[in-house]
Structure formats: C-alpha cells, structure tokens
Amino acid sequence: MFHKIKNVSPISDFKLSVQFSEGVTKIYDVKPLFEKLPVFKKLKGNPAEFAGVSVDVGGYGIIWDDDLDLSCDELWENGVLTETPFDGLMAFSDATELWGLNESTLRKAISYGKLVNGVDVCKFGKQWVVSIDAMKREYGSSVHQHEFIPTKTCM
C-alpha cells in the first residue's frame, strides 16, 4: 500500500520530517542507512546535499539525486509518528482521492452544513482542508482503506 508523501523537510541530526497525504507526520532517521547502504555515506559528509531532499514526482518517495532515494513505504514503515498541530488534516484534493469523491461534493457539504466551517473544515488562502474525523463521520472509511491516526479538528 502506498502512503503518498506531501512534503519532506530535513531536520537536525540527519533526520527528516515527512508529511503524508493521510494527515500524518513521521520522523525518519537517515543515520542507520550510512552503514547499511554505502551510497548514503555521501550525505553524512555533506549536510548541504542532505538538505536538498525533495518529494519525488507523484509523492511515492523522496529523492536527493539520481542515486539516492527512499520509497514512501520505507518512510512510512520505519518513520516514527510525531504529533503536530496539523495531524488529521488533509487538503480537499487528497480527501477526494482517498474517498473517491469530487471536490464539489465537499463544497456542497459545507454549504448544506454537513461539514462545518471552522470545526470540520478550514480555508487557508485558496486551499480548503478537512479533518479526517469529519470525512469518516460523513463518508465512512476511505475507498483506499488507509490506516488513519486519531485526529484533531480545525480551530
């Protein structure tokens, strides 16, 4: 099962903060790879290159260059769950993909009061986000049956 990556950020001590489309953030420690996989040793001596990590096209992994990459499954399975203020929130586009809905369905749910602005959903600039709890309450388990973590609502 793929756990698509939305964002990756390097943090101290050769660790990565990885945000998944399910509204979950995990911390992944790259240091064990320095010994297991020799190709990763070049990151140990080059913090600037380590900081150049990015999400691969499609969100199925992260990359540094043509030789260095990690899959979304590796990051999900071996990352350590961490709490952030954004846990359990996802973009409408991610929610519609996971539940097999159209964005217009979610916009209508707001206008009909099924999803409450400021409680179940929030708008940041042009982007709407929705809580996973609200999606489960109104639409049941996602089509893709992703493993979700307990969530918070917008305040």
Side-chain angles (χ1 to χ4, degrees):
M1 176 183 312
F2 290 110
H3 297 278
K4 288 179 76 173
I5 299 167
K6 296 301 287 183
N7 190 34
V8 62
S9 299
I11 54 179
S12 64
D13 200 27
F14 294 100
K15 293 181 181 174
L16 301 168
S17 174
V18 184
Q19 297 168 329
F20 293 88
S21 64
E22 293 97 334
V24 172
T25 301
K26 293 193 175 193
I27 302 298
Y28 184 87
D29 189 353
V30 177
K31 289 187 306 293
L33 299 179
F34 296 158
E35 299 307 317
K36 283 177 157 173
L37 301 168
V39 70
F40 278 88
K41 281 187 180 181
K42 71 180 187 177
L43 291 177
K44 185 177 182 179
N46 193 342
E49 187 171 354
F50 178 77
V53 67
S54 62
V55 178
D56 199 359
V57 176
Y60 297 106
I62 60 170
I63 58 171
W64 283 274
D65 60 29
D66 290 338
D67 297 324
L68 291 175
D69 59 30
L70 290 170
S71 73
C72 57
D73 289 337
E74 167 66 16
L75 297 163
W76 179 266
E77 291 168 18
N78 295 304
V80 176
L81 184 66
T82 187
E83 289 189 28
T84 75
F86 307 103
D87 291 347
L89 299 177
M90 63 175 54
F92 269 24
S93 57
D94 293 328
T96 56
E97 182 179 335
L98 290 172
W99 269 268
L101 302 169
N102 290 317
E103 282 196 37
S104 64
T105 302
L106 297 182
R107 284 192 222 98
K108 286 178 185 174
I110 296 167
S111 67
Y112 297 147
K114 194 173 182 179
L115 296 173
V116 179
N117 192 2
V119 176
D120 300 319
V121 297
C122 297
K123 191 169 187 181
F124 297 98
K126 295 180 180 181
Q127 178 67 54
W128 280 97
V129 295
V130 60
S131 77
I132 294 168
D133 283 344
M135 291 299 296
K136 285 181 174 180
R137 181 189 73 228
E138 297 301 329
Y139 302 103
S141 295
S142 78
V143 172
H144 297 285
Q145 296 298 309
H146 283 277
E147 172 186 334
F148 291 118
I149 306 303
T151 60
K152 301 174 184 166
T153 57
C154 297
M155 293 290 175

